[in-house]
Amino acid sequence: MSAGATDLPVLLPYRAPAPIAPSGLAAPVLLGGGTFAAFAILFGASLALAQVTARPAGEGATTVLLRWAPLIFQGFLFNILISFLSMALGTLIGVLVGIAQVSLVAPLRKTAWGLTQFFRNAPWLVLLFYAMFLLPFEFRVFGLTIAFPAWVKAIIGLALPVAANVSEIVRGGVRSIPSGQWESAEALAFTRRQTMWMIILPQAFKRMIPPWMNLYAILTMATTLISVVGIQDGLTITRAALVAESRPELMIPMYTLLLLMFFAYCYPIARATMALERRFNVKA
Amino acid sequence: MNRLAILASSLALACAAALAALPAAAQDSLAKIKEKGVLSVGVKNDYKPWGFLEPSGKIVGLEIDLAQAVADKIGVKLEMLPVTGANRMEFLKQGRIDMIVATMGDTADRRKIVGMVEPNYYAGATNVMAPKSAGLKKWEDLKGRKVCAVQGAYYNRRVSQLYTPDLTVFPTVPDALNALAGNNCVAFLFDDTLIVSTLSAGDPKWANYEMPLVSEDPQLWAIGIRLEDMDGPLGKIVKDISTDWHKSGKLLELETKWGIKQSPYLIETNKKLKAAS
């Protein structure tokens, strides 16, 4: 029997109106296209300006930019590599600390909580400085010398705040699973470890993916911080290129070129994150 | 245990872990360099024309030529590591590099940390670049006015203490020059030989600019090595080759090669050493 089949005064369940989500393809594509076009116009305008104000004997701004583009792109790829590796390391540590945060063992839980809060609320650049200047440049283990170059230290430095944020994502994801799941598992004689790995984490996983991707996009943009500690990333190379050219009017086109590279990489991640969030919203 | 105590103890834990890993000092650097076959030198790659990038990614410049000459003398390959004013001495102490040739001013404070090789290979002095219309006559005229400068330059502190300008510090030279061209500041505080090079390059953009003040605070630049190497074999080699550069006029040649106006210090030292021999 369906709800509409009776004329008795029945209280129907309240249904919220569907949220007006920018779903479908048109809106995001138009939005993304608009942002991209805006940057492209800015880029073109700065280039044109640089062209006009260039000294007569100098080369065209576009020529100069094209000449440096491969090197700047190499630097950008290095940023991406750093972001990959620190995300991997940060996620590995973060997942462990996050699970420790929901542990039943009080000292473990409290230590994990303390570490998470400390690294989550410390400035990224300061952590990076600590990693750069406190870690040795090489380790000697059993007469074997293991080099420990600056970029590895930078990865560790960036992985610390990432781990703390991942830890919070994991804790939040686990906590978001209704307690009924825990209770049912207990009733079915699952151990706590089994419950965590076989019941809770698989459900929490999809909820952790969007914030995790968000964190990755933020990390990628934050990798330019390593230019401050003297690592040859995209930003350092862009600056060095500007110095080599000694043409101040090229500053805005050069920086915009680097900005476009980052944007082209991070924007699709942001879109995918939003798409995933919407998808998981419906199911939840 | 309350939460604050936990936070404090984890913080202490993190610090202890970081401190546990302390660098080990290197012994007999020259033998080590020869064994490795590589001389690691910290250089600048953002300070034209002393050390700057080519589009191919190669670092070139006056200081690179000097570093190469030292590597050739020892008979090893040269490895260049771009450094900044903030990390070069740390890298040297840690042993990441064996030598600094990176526009480093020879100051008494730094001598406590790094061995400064004499004779110094260059001397610069401080001046400003300003539009002629600004009408600057003496250093005191800078008081309270906006002056652009570059991060990490040794003269920033002295000038801001003596003449109290409103100093705006930029990360690189082009940033600062751009600000000067855009009238964001009345003058650009910089090394006098570089101002002369910029002004004499014939860029119409700087046609109405000048170097109005009397250069001040001559500052020697030095090659830096670890303190314990100063009396060791590496220190001796670098000292000898440095003397030779002055005597043979190689430094003056290099200045000309890289478009730097010959500095009075180098001309004088060259004369003195030639007369002595």
Side-chain angles (χ1 to χ4, degrees), chain A residues 101-121:
Chain A
Q101 271 208 88
V102 292
S103 159
L104 289 180
V105 186
L108 186 65
R109 186 175 66 237
K110 286 180 177 170
T111 312
W113 178 85
L115 282 175
T116 304
Q117 291 308 315
F118 175 67
F119 286 114
R120 228 165 81 91
N121 296 298

Side-chain angles (χ1 to χ4, degrees), chain A residues 53 55-56 67-68 71 74 110-111 113-115 117-119 129-130 132-140 148-150 153 227-232 236-237 239-249 251-252 255, chain B residues 1 3-4 6-7 10-11 13-15 18-19 21-25 32 45-48 51-57 82-84 86-87 90-91 94-96 171-175 177-178 201-206:
Chain A
T53 55
R55 71 187 99 155
R67 193 168 64 216
W68 287 97
L71 196 66
Q74 264 179 32
K110 286 180 177 170
T111 312
W113 178 85
L115 282 175
Q117 291 308 315
F118 175 67
F119 286 114
F129 271 119
Y130 268 90
M132 292 307 290
F133 296 123
L134 286 178
L135 295 173
F137 86 104
E138 61 184 17
F139 277 126
R140 275 186 209 91
F148 210 47
K153 291 197 263 183
S227 68
V228 181
V229 289
I231 297 173
Q232 300 297 300
T236 318
I237 291 178
R239 276 196 185 144
L242 279 168
V243 172
E245 287 297 335
S246 318
R247 286 174 57 181
E249 73 273 10
M251 197 166 82
I252 294 178
Y255 282 137
Chain B
M1 231 195 322
R3 297 197 145 193
L4 215 65
I6 304 167
L7 198 63
S10 349
L11 199 148
L13 196 79
C15 289
L19 283 175
L22 278 178
K32 233 183 142 186
N45 74 351
D46 59 357
Y47 209 86
K48 199 178 180 180
F52 60 102
L53 268 185
E54 273 189 346
S56 63
V83 294
T84 65
N87 68 16
E90 201 59 38
F91 279 176
Q94 287 184 344
R96 177 70 193 86
T172 63
V173 177
D175 294 318
L177 280 176
N178 216 24
D203 187 340
K205 190 188 228 148
W206 306 121

Side-chain angles (χ1 to χ4, degrees), chain B residues 127-132 134-138 187 195 199 209-215:
Chain B
N127 210 318
V128 297
M129 178 168 160
K132 287 175 183 156
L136 296 174
K137 292 276 182 313
K138 50 189 194 302
I195 295 178
L199 289 178
Y209 286 76
E210 58 174 352
M211 189 168 80
L213 307 177
V214 179
S215 293

